[in-house]
């Protein structure tokens, strides 16, 4: 996987028959791992069979975007829209369906008002507020699912490989496949909701520039 936003995601090259390293396989990624090299997951995720996996539905990769007035992160609104188009094309080329979540999804979560009030006396940018709101948006999805940053593109992650990864992480446990930044995450609905509450617990006592990466 490639993260174009400057976040380093551990990558392992795969050699072809000629010995040339020319591709990246998600099955070789050891990012967000603990001391024994296993993927970082929560301890108490649900064990129920995920409906999307059981029915072999086309997996959906979600991302969240809401324009920041005046632009952000070195690009104006047009630049971000172009990046979103490239993100859609990249994931769809590997057989994924893509879905864009927005503030309309985040505000539909019952904890939205409570979360937004937590920012009242904090040092936080409009962009970083949106980074928190994406967690609420994902927690509104009945079946949970995958989320990636929209500047993270697959280099070799066919959609069908997602089912094996879901089985490996315990059929729904919150699992991050990136270190520090939550650039690629999978979880069930209840796990997304659980992590939302953990984030909110961490906002209050946090000092300094507030970011979902730090909380």
């Amino acid at each position: 996987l490639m993260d174009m936003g400057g976040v380093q995601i551990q990558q392992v090259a795969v050699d072809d028959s000629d010995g040339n390293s020319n591709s990246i396989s998600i099955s070789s990624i050891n990012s967000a791992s603990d001391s024994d090299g296993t993927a970082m997951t929560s301890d108490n995720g649900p064990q129920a069979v995920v409906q999307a996996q059981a029915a072999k539905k086309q997996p959906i990769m979600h991302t969240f975007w809401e324009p920041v007035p005046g632009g952000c992160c070195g690009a104006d609104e047009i630049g971000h829209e172009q990046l979103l188009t490239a993100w859609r094309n990249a994931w769809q080329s590997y057989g994924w369906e893509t879905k864009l979540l927005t503030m309309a999804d985040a505000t539909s979560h019952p904890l939205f008002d409570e979360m937004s009030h937590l920012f009242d006396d904090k040092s936080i940018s409009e962009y970083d507020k949106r980074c928190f709101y994406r967690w609420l948006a994902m927690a509104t999805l009945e079946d949970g699912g995958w989320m990636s940053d929209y500047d993270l593109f697959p280099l070799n992650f066919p959609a069908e490989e997602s089912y094996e990864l879901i089985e490996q992480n315990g059929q729904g446990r919150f699992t991050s496949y990136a270190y520090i930044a939550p650039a690629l995450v999978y979880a069930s609905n209840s796990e997304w909701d659980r992590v939302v509450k953990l984030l909110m617990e961490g906002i209050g006592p946090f000092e300094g520039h507030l970011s979902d990466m730090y909380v």
Side-chain angles (χ1 to χ4, degrees):
L1 296 170
M2 173 177 62
D3 186 344
M4 299 175 64
V7 177
Q8 181 63 43
I9 296 178
Q10 188 173 353
Q11 301 175 340
V12 180
V14 178
D15 294 339
D16 60 18
S17 58
D18 298 323
N20 299 316
S21 295
N22 61 1
S23 63
I24 301 297
S25 172
I26 191 168
S27 62
S28 302
I29 292 178
N30 291 321
S31 57
S33 60
D34 57 22
S35 58
D36 64 2
T38 57
M40 182 178 67
T41 65
S42 65
D43 293 327
N44 60 346
Q47 298 299 312
V49 175
V50 176
Q51 293 180 5
Q53 188 272 344
K56 295 297 183 183
K57 297 177 182 178
Q58 182 181 19
I60 302 172
M61 185 59 69
H62 303 83
T63 198
F64 180 90
W65 182 69
E66 187 73 27
V68 175
C72 72
C73 314
D76 58 16
E77 186 171 335
I78 294 176
H80 285 282
E81 289 175 348
Q82 292 172 336
L83 186 56
L84 281 164
T85 297
W87 174 86
R88 289 189 187 95
N89 291 340
W91 285 100
Q92 290 173 7
S93 72
Y94 279 95
W96 292 75
E97 183 179 344
T98 57
K99 183 176 180 180
L100 176 64
L101 303 175
T102 67
M103 285 295 293
D105 299 289
T107 56
S108 70
H109 193 285
L111 292 177
F112 175 81
D113 288 340
E114 183 177 344
M115 176 184 279
S116 62
H117 287 312
L118 292 174
F119 301 142
D120 289 346
D121 60 348
K122 298 296 182 181
S123 172
I124 183 170
S125 68
E126 288 300 315
Y127 167 76
D128 281 310
K129 287 181 182 179
R130 286 156 171 75
C131 289
F132 279 97
Y133 292 149
R134 62 180 169 173
W135 298 86
L136 293 173
M138 285 298 300
T140 66
L141 302 176
E142 182 178 357
D143 294 329
W146 292 89
M147 178 185 74
S148 85
D149 286 349
Y150 60 85
D151 58 354
L152 187 141
F153 295 173
L155 297 184
N156 186 17
F157 188 7
E160 57 268 21
E161 290 189 15
S162 67
Y163 302 117
E164 180 181 352
L165 291 177
I166 291 171
E167 292 176 356
Q168 290 174 359
N169 77 6
Q171 304 285 14
R173 286 184 298 173
F174 181 91
T175 307
S176 175
Y177 295 92
Y179 182 64
I180 301 179
L184 182 65
V185 178
Y186 176 83
S188 66
N189 171 269
S190 60
E191 284 287 90
W192 279 111
D193 214 43
R194 184 181 66 84
V195 175
V196 162
K197 294 172 183 176
L198 288 175
L199 285 171
M200 291 176 66
E201 290 176 5
I203 291 172
F206 189 87
E207 297 181 358
H209 180 77
L210 186 59
S211 166
D212 67 332
M213 292 190 296
Y214 305 147
V215 171

